[in-house]
Amino acid sequence: MSDDSLAWLGTDPIPAAPYHDPLWFGLEREAVFRRSWLQIGHVCELPDSGSFIRREIEVLDASLLIVRGRDGEIRAFHNVCTHRGTQLVAEESGKRSNFSCPYHRWSFGTDGALLAAPDFDRFFVDKADCALPRVALDICGGLIFVHLGTPEKSLRDDLGPYATMLDGFPAAQATTFSEYVYDIDANWKLTYDNFQENYHLRFIHPRSGAPAVGEDNPFGYPAKMGFHGPHRTQTIWTNPDPAPKPVQAQSFGRAARFAMADGTAGLHSRDYLALFPNFFILGSPAQPFSHTVWPIDAHRSRGVIRLYWKGEDDCASRRYAREYAMASARDIHAEDRDVIEAGQRGLNSGALKHIHFQAQEALCRHLFNIVYERVSAYRAELAAITPPALALAEAQA
Amino acid sequence: MSTLLPAGFAALTPFTDCWAISGSIARAARRGDAHPTDRAAFFAAAAPLLDAALTHLDTCPINALSPADQRLMDMMLTLAHVSLTEEILGDQEPAHYRQRRAMHITRTPAGA
């Protein structure tokens, strides 16, 4: 991809403050995270009627209850009793026919409806008005997304051509997964950006990342980049002469054979999608992983990485291949964390007014541009609030 | 001692106590906690037997392995972690160990 074809993204230095300023982060919460589809789970986590998962969306101070109802539909609710706000569910996951509040025993069905409440006749409201607050939920490629605002588009419309790509990724057929999680003292964009460029591979992953660099491509420039709306894609360049080690070759060889047999080794083995705002997914058949970077505050984030698998472990070789794939991916991700935190410490000092992205960091620039647009539009909305409206808002607060 | 592992894998018998480990979290931790000499010795003994071990274990239902077969399975799963130190990282392992501990395994099909 030529530098000229990326000119529309701009070439100016990027202001550094959005990577450490708490005030900017506060704007991002509403402008970006309340107004975007957020990836929070997979349909395989909800196999049966009554299966549920709880997800904490710390950036929006929300706890969500995702439930498969008796009709088979998966719904999302705020995990909050409509009596006095008590959080209904403490478990991370499970299976129930109804959800009973621990405080006064109001109970709700898997469709969110209030089923019963002790001494309800003496309340001044109808049961029909006491259903759990619903959150917009949509599914693509087996992945569950929620929207905590009012979606302007369906998930598929928002993803455009990437929805079809997602349908072809191994995760679309997954029935189980491996997962590892890390906390990091770094802004979510700085963390996310690390995984949007290969410029760092030869320095941070000189051995574990060797297959993605080579004599012909020492900085691991991607084979292709693409953009759609706020989302983007990249095709990873792969060294044609990687010289794998013996156990490594055996392990990935097994994983690749299982992927072929399972039909999960599709067209996207070197593609990854970066879906706005905070989700990646890679179509590799041997290491089909997703990575969500959750903001916690301006300087802290949490990464959730999953490797998705089709079918249970039905033999020793499959179990082994999955263990190796997870351990190998975890190694590479572990190598990134320290250097991202070092970058955050540098930015926190305020020493830099700007940072610089080169051509390979086009995806990083694209993320910044979209965030900047969204935050600017939100600021304009706030500025347009007339004094009477502001007074009304304050009166209602 | 002869029943600790299935026939053909007696060379791994001295390693069963330390390296036949249940659970991915514990396996990952043992890789990092082990003395480098012990880890290298386990790798040298186990890596050449990986293919034979999996070929043997693939003949048994995964959820009905005998105790000896389960021990061998657990050793091969530990080898998956250890091989990354021995084959890939080499002298980068000490620094890598600290970085790895921040990556908390929460779920695997083999049991976290």
Side-chain angles (χ1 to χ4, degrees), chain A residues 238-282:
Chain A
T238 303
N239 188 341
D241 187 21
K245 304 293 185 182
V247 170
Q248 185 182 34
Q250 284 191 60
S251 305
F252 281 130
R254 280 184 168 79
R257 288 198 293 276
F258 284 124
M260 292 291 288
D262 292 343
T264 54
L267 300 172
H268 301 298
S269 63
R270 296 176 185 175
D271 292 340
Y272 83 70
L273 287 173
L275 303 182
F276 187 80
N278 63 336
F279 178 71
F280 300 102
I281 189 163
L282 179 69

Side-chain angles (χ1 to χ4, degrees), chain B residues 10-58:
Chain B
L12 297 179
T13 299
F15 301 96
T16 52
D17 281 352
C18 277
W19 301 100
I21 299 168
S22 177
S24 299
I25 296 171
R27 287 190 281 269
R30 179 62 52 82
R31 167 196 176 188
D33 294 339
H35 191 283
T37 305
D38 295 339
R39 185 173 53 221
F42 169 62
F43 176 77
L49 294 173
L50 172 63
D51 191 53
L54 294 178
T55 300
H56 165 76
L57 293 167
D58 281 344

Side-chain angles (χ1 to χ4, degrees), chain A residues 176-183 206-208 245-248 250-251 254 305 309 313-317 319-320 322-324 326-328 330-331 333-335 337-338, chain B residues 24 27-28 31 43 47 50-51 54 57-58 62-63 73 76-77 80-81 83-84 87-92 96 98-110:
Chain A
T176 188
F177 56 91
S178 307
E179 182 185 84
Y180 50 93
V181 177
Y182 65 94
D183 283 5
R207 294 176 188 170
S208 61
K245 304 293 185 182
V247 170
Q248 185 182 34
Q250 284 191 60
S251 305
R254 280 184 168 79
I305 296 159
W309 310 117
D313 292 355
D314 57 357
C315 66
S317 284
R319 174 158 291 179
Y320 171 84
R322 290 175 175 179
E323 186 89 358
Y324 185 91
M326 177 198 65
S328 173
R330 176 174 174 261
D331 264 25
H333 285 121
E335 291 171 351
R337 187 174 164 279
D338 274 8
Chain B
S24 299
R27 287 190 281 269
R31 167 196 176 188
F43 176 77
L50 172 63
D51 191 53
L54 294 178
L57 293 167
D58 281 344
I62 187 74
N63 293 321
M73 178 83 252
M76 292 303 113
L77 292 172
H81 295 265
S83 71
L84 292 164
E87 276 195 339
I88 310 294
L89 294 181
D91 60 8
Q92 294 179 350
H96 206 275
R98 183 180 54 76
Q99 296 169 335
R100 257 190 341 258
R101 288 194 298 177
M103 315 302 282
H104 303 288
I105 298 169
T106 55
R107 173 167 165 160
T108 72

Side-chain angles (χ1 to χ4, degrees), chain A residues 139-152:
Chain A
I139 296 167
C140 187
L143 299 161
I144 300 172
F145 294 75
V146 293
H147 194 300
L148 278 84
T150 304
E152 293 181 358

